Amino acid sequence: MKRFVLGVESTAHTFSVSIVSSEGEILSNSKSVYKAPEGSGIHPFEASQSHIASAPAVLAAAVETSKVPLGEISAVAYAMGPGLGPCLRVGGVVARTLAAKLEVPLVPVNHAVGHIELGCLLTGMKDPVVLLVSGGHTMIISHSGGRWRVLGESLDLTLGQLLDQLGRHHGLASPCGRAIEEAAMGGGYRRLPYAVKGNDVSFSGLLTASKTMLDGGTSFKDVSYSVQETAFAMVAEVTERALAFTGKREVMIVGGVAANRRLSEMMTVMAGRHSAAMASSPLEYSGDCGAQIAWTGWLAYSSGSWIPVQDAKVRQSWRLDVVDTPWRS
Amino acid sequence: MSTRPGEAEPLPGTLIYRGAEADITLGTWQGLGAVFKSRKPLRYRLPALDDSIRRQRTVREAEMIEQAKRAGIRAPFLYAMDLPRATLVMEYVRGDRLRDLVGSLRTDEAEDAFERFGRSAARMHTAGIMHGDLTTANVLMKGKDLFFIDFGLSARTDRLEDHAVDLRLIKETLVGAHPGVAQAALDSLFRGYASEAGTQRFRSVLRQLKSIERRGRYARVE
Ligand SMILES: Nc1ncnc2c1ncn2[C@@H]1O[C@H](COP(=O)(O)OP(=O)(O)OP(=O)(O)O)[C@@H](O)[C@H]1O
Ligand SMILES: [Mg+2]
């Protein structure tokens, strides 16, 4: 029998609700995205206020679009972490209230695991080396011993933060990934620090150098191009290292920066060298969304992991490598 | 060691490994069994960037293999370097990657191997060498001896931070790729490290390692 799970995402900018079926159909995926004022970063409290304001409409839209009667929902999932405390709590309250009202189990989901599992659903990949690149993460991940394991990561800024902070320095509003991708087209290359440390990368030197370059009069176009070429080559290199190390046959990019075409082009070339398949999460689902929580919520629920409503909490710093994945064994 | 270009003519060898950076072929060098490590152009990187990285790492690896050996670390003998082709020719070490052995070592064997690993890491650090790529794929085990390879990311440094970055990578690799044995392996490794570097230095490096982990780990959205 087909079952339905409702998922709530609220870890950072995005408040989103989705309903998926046990067969992997995404029946709705409504969202509202908080936009920080130009030149500044996300303010956790203001983002949470924006989530509170938009929650009723987003929830109503998700339910209506799905055409699933609320009474047929089998479980409610929510992103328990990692993320910004005030934002997480909004999703937690919404999910807990719904689960209590519908008298169904409440399923806590790790946001990062959500990106990966939804990516696998949508790309058809079975056992990939994953590049998770977003505002909150820059990690190279693969599955072994019952969990998703981190094989490499950024030692400081995430790729999303690098792009956002560069864009903001230029006076743009975050998120700036899209604007930088467009600016980079037809830009010229200038040398910037390339920092691969073993399986890890470091972006702080690159950020400082690129800001200095901008201040020194180099065009935003050239700086954007050079930052992309440098930073993306760094993450492609460490992903390649993980691919060679694990001997896996698939590479997948998930997270907001997966939308960048230059990044996926580089990753495709890289994977090809090892005869591995490569896919990026589709644009619509690469950024934060309820579907990643609903689908992973279904996987967890179907393998028996859910919690009593009164145990609902949030975990701002919840690493994905401590999460058991019984649905993968 | 010869550094004249063109001397490391790639012989009709067999490709034994395609690493992340390099193709490894087996051939002969003046009658000796030799490994040819060629950092092939990576087409996803801009050629200007790629060329300089490959050259720089090739030179670095050649220099640092020598320095590590001088510090008493086992590493392959370097026979030749062909910089235009970013190729090194070196001794073929008939051993197995620690990565491939980890699963099949007996407990006491693993303990011994990781303790040696820790001692060697400490010895490099004491000599002012950061390996830069201390994964279990870059340690070859031949009998009980450990040979260190892949020095392309290494550096001369006495900084606590750099030494801690080395240990962090070992830890990341163990936890990420060998979760079943990671804790025991780390315990042995740290014991070996402390015995060579001294408890005080070991404690400082460990503290620095923790601070690095805190910095990166729960990177947040801004
Ligand atoms: N001197 C050597 N003797 C024997 N085997 C070697 C030698 N050098 C390299 N190898 C083999 O080739 C593999 C790759 O070598 P190396 O680590 O130097 O290249 P790499 O491209 O950096 O690889 P990776 O991306 O896996 O780190 C080693 O793991 C080892 O199995
Ligand atoms: Mg190697």
Side-chain angles (χ1 to χ4, degrees):
Chain A
M1 192 189 85
K2 214 192 256 189
R3 312 282 290 275
F4 303 99
V5 172
L6 180 148
V8 183
E9 156 65 28
S10 73
T11 56
H13 301 90
T14 305
F15 183 86
S16 174
V17 177
S18 161
I19 295 174
V20 303
S21 79
S22 50
E23 285 162 20
E25 302 151 293
I26 300 170
L27 303 170
S28 64
N29 189 43
S30 309
K31 58 172 105 170
S32 149
V33 180
Y34 161 80
K35 209 126 171 55
E38 276 183 25
S40 72
I42 182 172
H43 190 288
F45 180 73
E46 270 149 32
S48 74
Q49 292 305 302
S50 147
H51 293 346
I52 292 170
S54 52
V58 171
L59 177 60
V63 173
E64 192 178 322
T65 311
S66 73
K67 302 202 166 60
V68 176
L70 272 180
E72 285 185 28
I73 301 284
S74 297
V76 173
Y78 75 106
M80 184 162 78
L84 304 167
C87 299
L88 286 169
R89 282 188 280 277
V90 178
V93 168
V94 169
R96 194 168 58 200
T97 312
L98 258 178
K101 183 159 179 272
L102 302 174
E103 297 179 34
V104 296
L106 183 64
V107 187
V109 169
N110 179 288
H111 173 85
V113 172
H115 271 302
I116 299 172
E117 294 295 355
L118 181 66
C120 287
L121 172 72
L122 297 172
T123 62
M125 296 219 152
K126 298 276 179 288
D127 186 21
V129 167
V130 181
L131 173 63
L132 168 56
V133 273
S134 62
H137 290 84
T138 294
M139 283 182 170
I140 296 83
I141 300 156
S142 87
H143 197 270
S144 81
R147 290 181 186 175
W148 288 102
R149 310 273 175 183
V150 179
L151 293 178
E153 64 185 310
S154 171
L155 296 171
D156 39 56
L157 302 170
T158 67
L159 190 51
Q161 286 171 329
L162 168 70
L163 299 175
D164 285 350
Q165 290 186 21
L166 176 66
R168 290 213 304 271
H169 191 70
H170 187 61
L172 305 174
S174 350
C176 313
R178 187 72 182 278
I180 289 177
E181 178 171 13
E182 276 162 19
M185 286 178 197
Y189 175 65
R190 308 295 178 95
R191 191 75 195 246
L192 284 167
Y194 184 94
V196 164
K197 301 186 176 182
N199 292 346
D200 304 306
V201 295
S202 159
F203 292 129
S204 56
L206 175 56
L207 178 63
T208 310
S210 54
K211 282 180 177 169
T212 307
M213 206 179 254
L214 261 184
D215 295 343
T218 307
S219 68
F220 185 59
K221 194 170 199 54
D222 287 355
V223 174
S224 297
Y225 177 78
S226 308
V227 164
Q228 283 203 158
E229 291 301 316
T230 309
F232 294 173
M234 284 161 58
V235 296
E237 181 181 350
V238 289
T239 312
E240 180 165 26
R241 296 167 55 87
L243 189 63
F245 190 94
T246 58
K248 297 210 169 176
R249 317 294 317 144
E250 299 169 330
V251 178
M252 178 173 82
I253 319 176
V254 296
V257 192
N260 187 294
R261 276 151 299 179
R262 178 60 181 142
L263 175 62
S264 56
E265 181 186 43
M266 282 194 197
M267 293 284 286
T268 303
V269 173
M270 180 280 286
R273 215 172 90 82
H274 299 269
S275 316
M278 149 61 207
S280 308
S281 175
L283 196 59
E284 193 188 345
Y285 300 104
S286 56
D288 295 353
C289 65
Q292 73 193 74
I293 306 304
W295 173 242
T296 310
W298 161 252
L299 295 174
Y301 169 64
S302 63
S303 48
S305 4
W306 45 274
I307 55 171
V309 170
Q310 65 271 19
D311 289 356
K313 54 178 176 184
V314 302
R315 293 174 69 177
Q316 299 188 46
S317 313
W318 186 23
R319 254 176 101 81
L320 83 168
D321 54 7
V322 301
V323 180
D324 287 325
T325 56
W327 58 88
R328 282 201 164 254
S329 48
Chain B
M1 186 184 90
S2 158
T3 51
R4 262 170 293 155
E7 253 196 65
E9 283 302 325
L11 298 180
T14 27
L15 182 73
I16 57 163
Y17 185 80
R18 166 156 289 179
E21 299 199 74
D23 283 358
I24 308 289
T25 44
L26 219 49
T28 54
W29 178 257
Q30 302 187 340
L32 298 166
V35 157
F36 290 69
K37 174 170 179 173
S38 293
R39 290 186 158 86
K40 291 278 155 64
L42 297 180
R43 285 195 303 108
Y44 59 82
R45 272 197 304 233
L46 287 181
L49 177 59
D50 188 55
D51 289 347
S52 77
I53 292 173
R54 289 186 299 117
R55 276 165 173 274
Q56 187 208 321
R57 290 188 186 168
T58 303
V59 172
R60 184 62 62 85
E61 180 161 13
E63 285 170 6
M64 299 304 278
I65 284 183
E66 300 292 337
Q67 297 204 15
K69 287 180 89 70
R70 235 172 284 143
I73 300 296
R74 281 180 212 270
F77 276 103
L78 195 61
Y79 298 149
M81 173 165 77
D82 177 352
L83 200 48
R85 288 198 189 82
T87 297
L88 295 177
V89 189
M90 63 184 114
E91 176 194 3
Y92 174 44
V93 177
R94 263 164 241 278
D96 296 293
R97 271 177 294 184
L98 188 54
R99 187 203 87 164
D100 301 328
L101 293 177
V102 170
S104 55
L105 292 176
R106 286 196 320 264
T107 315
D108 57 315
E109 289 171 333
E111 226 172 82
D112 182 63
F114 281 100
E115 206 174 314
R116 283 162 187 270
F117 191 163
R119 277 206 297 272
S120 299
R123 180 168 295 183
M124 282 189 244
H125 291 173
T126 308
I129 299 168
M130 170 205 196
H131 182 282
D133 200 0
L134 275 181
T135 70
T136 48
N138 290 334
V139 180
L140 303 178
M141 206 169 159
K142 184 177 166 189
K144 283 189 163 225
D145 293 329
L146 300 184
F147 284 76
F148 289 78
I149 59 169
D150 209 357
F151 282 84
L153 295 175
S154 63
R156 285 234 57 116
T157 165
D158 290 316
R159 287 177 60 216
L160 201 57
E161 167 84 8
D162 294 332
H163 298 176
V165 166
D166 256 356
L167 292 195
R168 200 200 86 91
L169 181 62
I170 302 178
K171 184 173 170 189
E172 184 176 63
T173 310
L174 288 172
V175 173
H178 311 288
V181 301
Q183 196 51 56
L186 267 180
D187 290 345
S188 307
L189 195 139
F190 286 163
R191 199 177 331 115
Y193 192 97
S195 77
E196 180 77 28
T199 351
Q200 218 169 0
R201 178 72 186 180
F202 168 64
R203 289 224 183 93
S204 315
V205 180
L206 200 60
R207 217 176 305 122
Q208 192 69 17
L209 164 69
K210 297 253 156 70
S211 120
I212 296 173
E213 287 178 334
R214 273 195 303 274
R215 243 178 277 158
R217 284 209 148 170
Y218 310 113
R220 296 268 189 68
V221 185
E222 286 192 32

